Amino acid sequence: MAVADLVKTFTFYEILVGMKATITVFIQRIILRNRKAITLQYPHEKRDLPGTYRGMIALLKYDDGTEKCVGCDLCEAACPSRVITVISAEVEGEPMKRYAREYSMDMTRCLFCGLCVDACPVDALAMTKEFAWARYNKRDLRLDKPQLLALGDRNFPEREKKLEFQHPNVAYFNIGHKNLPSKAS
Amino acid sequence: MATLSFFYFGSVIVLTAILVVALRNPVHSVIALLVMFFHIAGLFVTLHAEFLAAVQLIVYAGAILVLYLFVVMILNLQQDDSYQRQVKWGLGLGLIALAEIIAIISKVALPEEPASGKTAAGEAAETIAGNTETVGKALYTTYLFPFEVASLILLVAMIGAIIMAKKGIMGPEAK
Amino acid sequence: MDMLVFAGASVVKIAVVMVTVLLTVAVLTLAERKVLSWMQDRMGPMEVGPYGILQPIADGIKLFFKEDIIPSGANWLLFSLAPIISLIPAFIGFAVVPYGPNVEVELYGVTIKPFIITDINIGILYVLAFTSIGAYGVILGGWASNNKYSLLGGLRAAAQVISYELNVGLAIIGVIILSGSLSMVTIAEKQAGGILNWNIIGMGHGLGIWWWIPVTQVIGFVVYFIASVAETNRLPFDLPEADSELVAGWMTEYSGMRFAFFFMAEYANMILVSCIASVLFLGGYHAPYPGTLLPGILGYFEGIAWFTVKVYGFLFLFFWIRATLPRLRYDQLMRFGWKVLLPLALANIVITSIAVYFLR
């Protein structure tokens, strides 16, 4: 046993085993060509992100182009990092119907937990798969409403129908029901 | 040509040797010493002693001076001027050395044309036997005893250094 | 006139060798990254040019135009001097390497050796002398940066280079004893006639059919190779650099062209060490079969091709070892150098000299 160990030491056995491992990979890569690098050439090839990926947050619209957001401030209350600022106001001429007059997100603070998305009662917020948002100026990461809506337009081309069209019963509190659909036809 | 190169090497050696003791920054002194070793090696080359030149560089510049540098860096001397107080000693020893040099120079009159005959003889010797071989032969026949004595002295110095560095190597832990 | 022709031919030879070495350095910077990545399931540089082959040019341009920073606490003179001190010895050693057969060509009445820059009778000592000077660049660079990491890197480099230079010097003494000469040209010439006559096997020195066994320079070769890896500060002996502990050691404060000088010096040293190893142990420009396959002048170029193959083989070995082994600990490095390699090298000298004394 001791002799075997000595022989191993003097012939650099352990080192040669390690070197065999590296040269095996080398031969497989270069000569046999039956092994691929695990590297992904990022800007040229991108990996598939899972459906639940939590990227930049976007504001959504209904299929007729109106904003989903009703300015309820629940997302602002839910946010642990105080990312969201909502200033809500009444819709002109439609008392009791509110919207977000100003809506901004300071994405430098966002930790992408998704609590605002869960908190939203009308599903106006969604998380996109965008992540390459490095900016030279920190202020560029403070997104206002048009930018957030643009994010939503960009990432969710399929828009939902208006709430009262999909659930006429629950949406009944909305008294501005000018477009109320006729009963199931 | 030979005289020219001699005077070049000689003057640089003298200059850098003065710089070694004159410069305030010890690391700069070491660099001056390195330049001096190079020029001494150059002097050896002009004398057709290439082996000595290479050994000069390997041993002095490559090993001993690196150790000097090591020590200087570890001690981290910041322009220590303590040696400036040794003027009296330096002056005395310097005067003795100067007298010696004058005595030697006055005894040995410089030959007017030393270059031509001597270098030809050197080249002839070189063609007969390799320079290295000649040094080796001389070292192991004519100068065998001094050589062995020198190696013995070095061995003693080495053992002494080890004993001084490794406290407690002789028996129980000696303070 | 004769002097002029000789000088002109020498300048041309030096220029060719310098350009070749610099090009090889450029190729090596890419080759190292590529080989490492191929061994580690990666791709290496892929962006600049097809498969990244223009990466060295991009690196060169980047380093050339980078801001040249001298730290405010640094010693300006030594800080500027250190990269040059480390670069010059790395290039100067190529002067004595025989790149091809020792043939003479008549040119305007002057005999010129086209494949050898110069054949000085202490060739190998000359190389050793100048590689030992290369350590000064590292040490002074580390000290002049006025940075504790750099200083530690420089001191480590000093200790390591002194320790392993000794082993390099002792490892090649076996070869010198066998060849009876310090000239690299003579050493290469004595290994003519096939792979068995190379010094690593050692059958070509006129000893009997079985008595060559004690003079094989396998131990010398292994010691030389390990020590030269350590002397060029390559992994697994890259303690002076030690990216993870000393943040690149003595190079921490360097940027731009000064850093490029250190970089070039490291790669040029690798090439030099590979050249010497192939001349001393693997027969230099001699093919593994006796003589040459191609006739006449083409045979000379066959020799140069074999030399190139050997040198690149060594360089590949450098990369291969780097891809495989982790860095040693500092005390392990010192113990390995002084307690393992040094006795092995001394034993090699003793055995070789006894064998040569009794058998020749």
Side-chain angles (χ1 to χ4, degrees), chain A residues 62 97 122 161-181:
Chain A
Y62 288 119
K97 184 172 182 185
V122 290
K161 274 192 285 189
K162 225 166 178 176
L163 213 56
E164 47 268 46
F165 286 94
Q166 35 177 314
H167 303 293
N169 297 333
V170 281
Y172 222 74
F173 60 85
N174 190 342
I175 57 165
H177 54 290
K178 288 176 194 147
N179 302 323
L180 202 66

Side-chain angles (χ1 to χ4, degrees), chain A residues 69-72 88-100 122 171-177:
Chain A
C69 181
V70 294
C72 66
S88 69
E90 273 183 14
V91 178
E92 290 290 326
E94 281 185 80
M96 295 192 69
K97 184 172 182 185
R98 298 180 75 83
Y99 76 112
V122 290
Y172 222 74
F173 60 85
N174 190 342
I175 57 165
H177 54 290

